[in-house]
Amino acid sequence: MALLTILDETAAGSILNRLELEISQEMLTVRELIARRVHDEVAAHNARQTSLFQGLVQPTDSERLLNGSGYRLHHAKPIDAEAQVYRALEAFQQNGFFLLVNDRQAETLDEEIWLGAGATASFVKLTPLVGG
């Protein structure tokens, strides 16, 4: 089983979050990687039951923290993993973030990517411009 290092970065290259994900297969689709990552982060959050959520996409009923490193939930409650996966897949398709795997940009959800030993994945979060 390989350990995949995942970085959440800004477009300027600042690292917002770093996590590791156990991957049992060397080849996954982009869709499968995003779903695995989101399921893991939601499970970790739901086990902690705090009002701070550090995840790929913003849950309903939350506000983004000023430093961009997470979201503050209005009420500490469990997050629906399937709803978060849906939001993450939609955000990828609408260029809400880019995914770089081994320094190469993933283009589609069905693209197969290699995640063997030493692989890296960077989720580059884009910040909407103020005023449009």
Side-chain angles (χ1 to χ4, degrees):
M1 195 169 292
L3 204 56
L4 174 66
T5 299
I6 294 177
L7 300 175
D8 287 340
E9 300 181 44
T10 65
S14 298
I15 296 174
L16 300 172
N17 192 23
R18 177 189 182 101
L19 59 135
E20 293 182 334
L21 188 64
E22 286 186 9
I23 301 290
S24 59
Q25 303 162 262
E26 282 194 353
M27 298 295 290
L28 287 177
T29 64
V30 169
R31 179 186 319 275
E32 291 167 330
L33 174 59
I34 292 171
R36 282 284 317 277
R37 182 242 163 102
V38 171
H39 275 282
D40 279 15
E41 67 194 13
V42 168
H45 169 78
N46 288 344
R48 288 191 313 269
Q49 282 297 305
T50 66
S51 63
L52 175 64
F53 177 68
Q54 287 188 297
L56 181 59
V57 292
Q58 184 169 357
T60 303
D61 196 29
S62 70
E63 59 189 49
R64 183 184 297 269
L65 295 177
L66 291 177
N67 65 3
S69 66
Y71 307 97
R72 173 109 20 235
L73 299 170
H74 294 221
H75 307 286
K77 62 180 181 177
I79 293 176
D80 179 353
E82 291 308 316
Q84 284 301 101
V85 169
Y86 178 82
R87 280 190 185 90
L89 295 175
E90 186 175 56
F92 177 82
Q93 290 180 306
Q94 295 179 0
N95 296 323
F97 63 88
F98 294 108
L99 173 59
L100 302 173
V101 179
N102 302 318
D103 297 322
R104 192 181 70 73
Q105 184 175 340
E107 301 289 334
T108 68
L109 289 173
D110 295 322
E111 179 179 338
E112 287 200 342
I113 48 179
W114 178 82
L115 297 172
T120 59
S122 293
F123 288 79
V124 181
K125 295 184 176 187
L126 303 177
T127 305
L129 297 174
V130 175

